[in-house]
C-alpha cells in the first residue's frame, strides 16, 4: 500500500482524482485502533476516495515527555488500513515537510472554547490541533473530514475553526468506540498494564452512573457525587469532572429546560492521562 510523505506527491495524487467525486479525510496521529477503523469505514461509505493522514503533530503536545512517549507504529497502521481497503491514500509526512522547518503553531481565537477543560490543563494544545487540522484541510481539500467524539472538545473547536475561516468542508463527528469493558478506545490504553486497563473501565461506569444521577439531581450534587466515586478508586487520579453545555462547552451551574449537556472527564492512571465524555440528556 503506497504511503505518501511529501506535499508534492500528495498534490499529484489528488489532482489525478476525478473532480467533485467525494473526498473524505480521516486525520490521525497513528497508533491506530478500532476507533480509527470506525472513522475510516464511515469515510469509505460516504466518499469515493479517502485519505488517512498519519502525523504525530509536535505542536499539540504540551510536554516533550508526552510527545516522546507517543507510539510510532507506522507499519502496523498501514496493515490495519490495508485490511479495511486497498484504495485508501495514506499521507504520512515528517514534521519538517508539514511545518517547512519551522515547527510552530498559529494562534487562534476559538472564542473561549479552548480555555476550559483540556485547554485549561494542556497549554497551547488547541492552537497546535488547529494548526495541523487547518493545514491538512487546506492541502487535501476534502469534502468531509471525520473526528471521534471521544475528543468532543476538539471536535467542537474544529467546527469553530472551519466556520470562522470559511473552509468548505463538512466536519463529521463519530460516536466513541469502546472496548468491551466500556473503556473508550485510545492509543494511550496500550501503555496500561492489564490490571490498570481493567481499573480504567471504571471511568465509563462512573460516567454512566452520573448520567442516571443527572436525571433527578442538581448539577452541583452530580459533580460532588462523581468526585467521590473517583476517590473510591485510588488508582484513578481525577483531573477534572465537568458538566457542560454541548454547544458552548461552558460548565453549567444549573440545568435549563431545553439545554443539552455532556459530562467530561480527564483522569490519570498509572501516569497515563485518559479522557472520556457522555451525553447526559
Ligand atoms: O485526534 C487526533 O488524533 C489529533 O488531535 C488530530 C485531529 C489528528 C490532529 O493531530
Amino acid at each position: 500500500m503506497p504511503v505518501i510523505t511529501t506535499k508534492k506527491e500528495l498534490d499529484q495524487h489528488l489532482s489525478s482524482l476525478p473532480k467533485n467525486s467525494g473526498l473524505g479525510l480521516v486525520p490521525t496521529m497513528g497508533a491506530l485502533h478500532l476507533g480509527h477503523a470506525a472513522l475510516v469505514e464511515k469515510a469509505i461509505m460516504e466518499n469515493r476516495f479517502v485519505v488517512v493522514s498519519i502525523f504525530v503533530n509536535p505542536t499539540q503536545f504540551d510536554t516533550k515527555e508526552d510527545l516522546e512517549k507517543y507510539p510510532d507504529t507506522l507499519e502496523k497502521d498501514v496493515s490495519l488500513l490495508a485490511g479495511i481497503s486497498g484504495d485508501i491514500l495514506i499521507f504520512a509526512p515528517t514534521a519538517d515537510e508539514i511545518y517547512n522547518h519551522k515547527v510552530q503553531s498559529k494562534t487562534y481565537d476559538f472564542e473561549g472554547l479552548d480555555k476550559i477543560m483540556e485547554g485549561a490543563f494542556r497549554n497551547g494544545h488547541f492552537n497546535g490541533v488547529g494548526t495541523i487540522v487547518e493545514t491538512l484541510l487546506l492541502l487535501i481539500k476534502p469534502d468531509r473530514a471525520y473526528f471521534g467524539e471521544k475528543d468532543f472538545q476538539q471536535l467542537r473547536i474544529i467546527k469553530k475553526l472551519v466556520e470562522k475561516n470559511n473552509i468548505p468542508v463538512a466536519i463529521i463527528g463519530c460516536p466513541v468506540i469502546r472496548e468491551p469493558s466500556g473503556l473508550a478506545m485510545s492509543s494511550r490504553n496500550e501503555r496500561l498494564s492489564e490490571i490498570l486497563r481493567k481499573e480504567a473501565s471504571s471511568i465509563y461506569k462512573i460516567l454512566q452512573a452520573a448520567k442516571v444521577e443527572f436525571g433527578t439531581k442538581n448539577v452541583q450534587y452530580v459533580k460532588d457525587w462523581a468526585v467521590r466515586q473517583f476517590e473510591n478508586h485510588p488508582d484513578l487520579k481525577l483531573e477534572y469532572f465537568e458538566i457542560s453545555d454541548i454547544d458552548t462547552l461552558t460548565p453549567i451551574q444549573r440545568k435549563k429546560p431545553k439545554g443539552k449537556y455532556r459530562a467530561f472527564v480527564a483522569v490519570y492512571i498509572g501516569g497515563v492521562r485518559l479522557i472520556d465524555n457522555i451525553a447526559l440528556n
Side-chain angles (χ1 to χ4, degrees), residues 14-281:
L14 294 176
S15 50
S16 71
L17 301 180
K19 292 272 161 285
N20 305 322
S21 49
L23 180 61
L25 168 66
V26 183
T28 80
M29 296 207 298
L32 303 182
H33 48 68
L34 295 181
H36 296 108
L39 299 181
V40 174
E41 277 157 12
K42 186 165 168 65
I44 289 173
M45 297 229 309
E46 297 180 353
N47 300 277
R48 175 120 183 260
F49 300 99
V50 170
V51 179
V52 175
S53 61
I54 298 180
F55 178 62
V56 182
N57 175 35
T59 61
Q60 71 186 75
F61 288 82
D62 54 338
T63 69
K64 214 172 146 223
E65 197 196 347
D66 202 22
L67 171 62
E68 277 160 8
K69 279 197 203 144
Y70 202 86
D72 174 0
T73 57
L74 185 62
E75 240 175 80
K76 236 171 108 194
D77 296 342
V78 172
S79 56
L80 181 140
L81 293 172
I84 299 176
S85 158
D87 279 344
I88 298 165
L89 187 63
I90 303 174
F91 179 50
T94 61
D96 282 343
E97 180 71 14
I98 284 290
Y99 285 99
N100 295 324
H101 302 274
K102 195 166 175 222
V103 180
Q104 202 174 301
S105 326
K106 282 172 67 174
T107 304
Y108 294 90
D109 175 6
F110 292 122
E111 299 177 2
L113 291 170
D114 57 331
K115 301 287 181 259
I116 41 187
M117 300 191 290
E118 289 305 281
F121 288 93
R122 301 183 68 191
N123 195 15
H125 171 66
F126 287 119
N127 279 327
V129 170
T131 305
I132 183 61
V133 172
E134 185 181 17
T135 303
L136 292 169
L137 293 176
L138 297 180
L139 276 175
I140 297 167
K141 301 186 186 63
D143 299 294
R144 296 171 200 85
Y146 296 80
F147 298 87
E149 285 185 347
K150 183 175 79 67
D151 298 292
F152 193 89
Q153 187 176 9
Q154 166 175 280
L155 172 64
R156 183 70 194 85
I157 284 174
I158 291 169
K159 285 185 177 163
K160 176 65 74 186
L161 169 90
V162 160
E163 176 195 306
K164 284 190 83 162
N165 292 284
N166 295 315
I167 304 175
V169 59
I171 299 298
I172 318 276
C174 305
V176 184
I177 303 294
R178 299 184 179 279
E179 297 187 358
S181 68
L183 176 64
M185 293 222 177
S186 164
S187 309
R188 291 168 188 256
N189 296 351
E190 297 307 315
R191 285 165 47 200
L192 296 173
S193 65
E194 212 178 300
I195 293 172
L196 288 184
R197 203 157 168 150
K198 205 159 159 231
E199 182 64 7
S201 67
S202 301
I203 299 170
Y204 186 51
K205 294 193 179 86
I206 296 172
L207 283 177
Q208 284 178 303
K211 176 176 178 150
V212 174
E213 294 294 321
F214 188 79
T216 54
K217 306 283 190 334
N218 70 48
V219 173
Q220 196 54 52
Y221 175 93
V222 180
K223 284 170 81 166
D224 294 343
W225 177 90
V227 170
R228 285 201 304 277
Q229 304 314 302
F230 282 103
E231 283 167 358
N232 292 336
H233 294 267
D235 287 328
L236 301 179
K237 305 271 175 275
L238 182 66
E239 191 166 61
Y240 63 78
F241 176 91
E242 286 295 359
I243 295 177
S244 297
D245 177 279
I246 59 163
D247 211 36
T248 63
L249 299 183
T250 314
I252 57 158
Q253 309 300 330
R254 54 178 66 82
K255 306 174 201 173
K256 288 192 185 140
K258 287 197 178 141
K260 285 265 172 234
Y261 307 112
R262 271 180 113 94
F264 295 85
V265 70
V267 173
Y268 276 96
I269 175 163
V272 179
R273 187 174 184 278
L274 301 177
I275 59 171
D276 202 349
N277 67 85
I278 192 170
L280 292 175
N281 61 348

